[in-house]
Amino acid sequence: MGFTGTKNYIASKELQLAVNAAITLEKPLLIKGEPGTGKTMLAEELASALDTDLLQWHIKSTTKAQQGLYEYDAVSRLRDSQLGDDRVHDISNYIVKGKLWQAFTAGKRPVLLIDEIDKADIEFPNDLLLELDKMEFFVYETQERVVAKQRPIVIITSNNEKELPDAFLRRCFFHYIQFPEAEEMRQIVDVHFPNIKKDLLDKALSSFFQIRDVNGIKKKPSTSELIDWLKLLVADDIPADVLQDNDAKNALPPLYGALLKNEQDIHLFEKLMFMARR
């Protein structure tokens, strides 16, 4: 049975096809898209749909590929040797298994999330080529070879902060999550707010897409920010007519801080709305 989304995650037909194709090909699924479009949540919901474990490896600028395999804790071994601990005679006591090792040796085929791979050094993806392709690696300290019991389902996300190497891309199935259209956005909102008033949702979506369509805006509000904004509107019981106030002095929607995240965008939006109403 293929992945079709979950009750908490609305997946487009294209995304469903991409997930199922990657699983069939046993290749990592590389997901790109605007921040806040549900790339990380996809891995969480896929694991839930398959009733399996999710292993999350969140990448930082300082992350090295070796950390995903294992790390040798030489400091702890030195300390234990000074204290006369018998554990020092077995070096395996000081091998810390990384997320790939855990995924390779899992009893049930897990979902492995490598989140925001583009944050790491440019060589990071290349350093994982062999391990992701052959699904094995060698532990030099213990002279053992770790081979995957079964290929984990690998989801890799990127915010396009830097280009990824061609050799790495060749080993992945790629999908770009397009920003949802209004109708798909309604389905997403319905998951979070099934009882929201229709007139409030209509005007909120109108305001939301109006902000996204402003030319020159630096940080377009995302799906997750829309959900946050609607949560505030519902919690404060904001009436729908407040969202379309024709008074130029109130060009910004209420609680706009959930949508606009820098002063340049706020000033730009105010200026354009003032000019349009004149």
Side-chain angles (χ1 to χ4, degrees):
M1 184 177 66
F3 176 70
T4 58
T6 68
K7 64 178 182 179
N8 297 319
Y9 190 89
I10 304 298
S12 67
K13 292 295 184 182
E14 294 78 11
L15 180 56
Q16 294 176 34
L17 287 171
V19 171
N20 293 320
I23 293 174
T24 300
L25 293 173
E26 295 189 324
K27 287 181 174 289
L29 175 60
L30 175 60
I31 294 287
K32 291 186 179 182
E34 290 184 29
T37 50
K39 300 187 295 296
T40 301
M41 191 178 180
L42 169 64
E44 298 170 355
E45 293 301 320
L46 177 59
S48 175
L50 299 177
D51 189 26
T52 191
D53 292 331
L54 171 65
L55 298 172
Q56 303 186 59
W57 188 15
H58 299 290
I59 307 303
K60 301 178 181 179
S61 60
T62 56
T63 302
K64 301 300 180 185
Q66 179 65 32
Q67 294 171 308
L69 307 179
Y70 69 93
E71 291 184 275
Y72 169 49
D73 190 355
V75 174
S76 292
R77 193 182 188 198
L78 175 61
R79 182 195 62 221
D80 287 349
S81 68
Q82 293 171 338
L83 296 174
D85 195 323
D86 288 339
R87 295 174 71 247
V88 299
H89 301 299
D90 185 357
I91 197 171
S92 64
N93 290 324
Y94 304 94
I95 299 295
V96 181
K97 297 179 180 179
K99 296 299 182 181
L100 266 72
W101 189 332
Q102 295 173 38
F104 287 2
T105 56
K108 184 177 181 181
R109 189 184 190 189
V111 173
L112 171 63
L113 170 64
I114 304 177
D115 200 23
E116 298 187 328
I117 194 172
D118 51 323
K119 280 188 175 180
D121 183 86
I122 189 63
E123 292 302 321
F124 179 89
N126 281 334
D127 291 341
L128 288 176
L129 287 181
L130 180 62
E131 289 76 15
L132 290 177
D133 196 23
K134 301 296 184 181
M135 287 289 158
E136 63 179 56
F137 62 90
F138 188 73
V139 184
Y140 294 96
E141 288 79 2
T142 60
Q143 295 296 297
E144 65 177 308
R145 185 171 299 278
V146 178
V147 180
K149 293 181 179 179
Q150 65 275 311
R151 298 182 75 93
I153 300 170
V154 182
I155 305 294
I156 303 172
T157 71
S158 170
N159 287 325
N160 247 356
E161 292 183 9
K162 61 170 69 80
E163 290 295 323
L164 299 174
D166 289 346
F168 179 80
L169 295 175
R170 191 167 64 247
R171 288 165 169 81
C172 298
F173 190 93
F174 173 75
H175 180 72
Y176 184 89
I177 297 181
Q178 298 288 344
F179 196 82
E181 299 290 340
E183 187 54 42
E184 186 180 352
M185 190 64 82
R186 288 179 182 275
Q187 297 176 33
I188 294 172
V189 171
D190 186 58
V191 169
H192 298 272
F193 307 102
N195 300 316
I196 192 171
K197 296 177 182 177
K198 183 179 183 302
D199 57 342
L200 175 62
L201 178 57
D202 289 344
K203 292 181 178 179
L205 286 178
S206 176
S207 297
F208 173 75
F209 282 106
Q210 184 182 32
I211 292 175
R212 281 189 56 86
D213 289 341
V214 170
N215 288 325
I217 192 168
K218 291 181 63 177
K219 167 66 176 69
K220 292 185 178 183
S222 67
T223 305
S224 61
E225 288 161 334
L226 170 64
I227 299 302
D228 288 343
W229 186 46
L230 288 172
K231 184 177 182 179
L232 292 172
L233 295 179
V234 171
D236 287 358
D237 198 21
I238 302 292
D241 55 0
V242 174
L243 299 182
Q244 288 190 340
D245 193 335
N246 291 322
D247 184 352
K249 295 181 180 179
N250 295 315
L252 289 168
L255 302 166
Y256 62 85
L259 301 175
L260 296 169
K261 299 301 176 71
N262 61 66
E263 61 276 16
Q264 295 96 324
D265 287 346
I266 293 173
H267 294 156
L268 174 63
F269 187 77
E270 286 180 320
K271 180 180 178 181
L272 292 176
M273 291 300 99
F274 179 77
M275 291 172 63
R277 289 171 177 173
R278 289 190 64 184

